[in-house]
Structure formats: C-alpha cells, structure tokens
Amino acid sequence: MLEGEQKPVCIFDGREVINLASNNYLGLTTHKALRKAALDAVKRYGVGAGAVRTIAGTMKLHMELEEQIGRSNVEACVCFIGLTANAERCRRAGKET
C-alpha cells in the first residue's frame, strides 16, 4: 500500500521504492502551484461536480478552460476521465504520420 504522495520514489508497504506504476509521470500531483490552485478550487467549488457533465456536472470552470484552450493555436482535446483520455490517445496514435 502506498504511504504518502505519488512521487518517483515513495514508500510502499513500509519500503522506499522506485514508483514505476504511477500515472504521475509529469509530476503534477506534487507541483506546488497546482496544489495551491486545486485547494483554491475546492474552497470555491467544493469537491467534485456532483454529476457527469452530460447530466448536471458542467461547471463554469469547465467552460472557461475549454474556451481558453479554444482561443489558443494548439490542437487539443479536453477529457475529464483519465481512461477516456488514454483511449483517445491510443486511437489517434494509429492515425499519425
């Protein structure tokens, strides 16, 4: 069992190990600015949307993110479920030249 944060080296079952099983490959779970932004968002919006987006879970924060990305010159897709994001990446990988 993991004890503490998802870091490259962490404590697992009481032993210090190199963590090769984490989805935290960009180090975002321990990024100081992201932690602060997440805490600020929890204070403002609460914990979770309370429903999937197609029912009643779309929040102003989601729309602002999508609008900001849409104004950029970057081709992007916003996926709020990790499995969906990974599946789309795999699907697109076969189409790249």
Side-chain angles (χ1 to χ4, degrees):
M1 174 176 23
L2 178 66
E3 302 168 24
E5 301 171 325
Q6 287 279 358
K7 291 182 173 181
V9 176
C10 59
I11 305 297
F12 191 85
D13 288 340
R15 296 177 35 218
E16 186 176 81
V17 298
I18 296 172
N19 186 358
L20 300 175
S22 172
N23 289 333
N24 186 32
Y25 38 83
L26 297 177
L28 300 179
T29 66
T30 55
H31 190 280
K32 288 181 183 182
L34 291 177
R35 282 183 156 188
K36 181 182 180 327
L39 289 171
D40 292 345
V42 166
K43 290 175 187 173
R44 182 172 179 188
Y45 298 103
V47 180
V52 296
R53 289 192 64 186
T54 55
I55 297 173
T58 297
M59 301 173 75
K60 183 177 181 185
L61 189 62
H62 297 133
M63 300 304 294
E64 290 171 352
L65 170 64
E66 291 171 354
E67 289 168 6
Q68 184 177 358
I69 291 171
R71 287 190 301 270
S72 72
N73 290 329
V74 176
E75 183 179 339
C77 174
V78 180
C79 295
F80 291 96
I81 300 172
L83 179 61
T84 304
N86 291 337
E88 176 62 16
R89 178 65 189 124
C90 291
R91 185 186 73 79
R92 289 184 55 89
K95 295 181 179 182
E96 294 176 2
T97 58

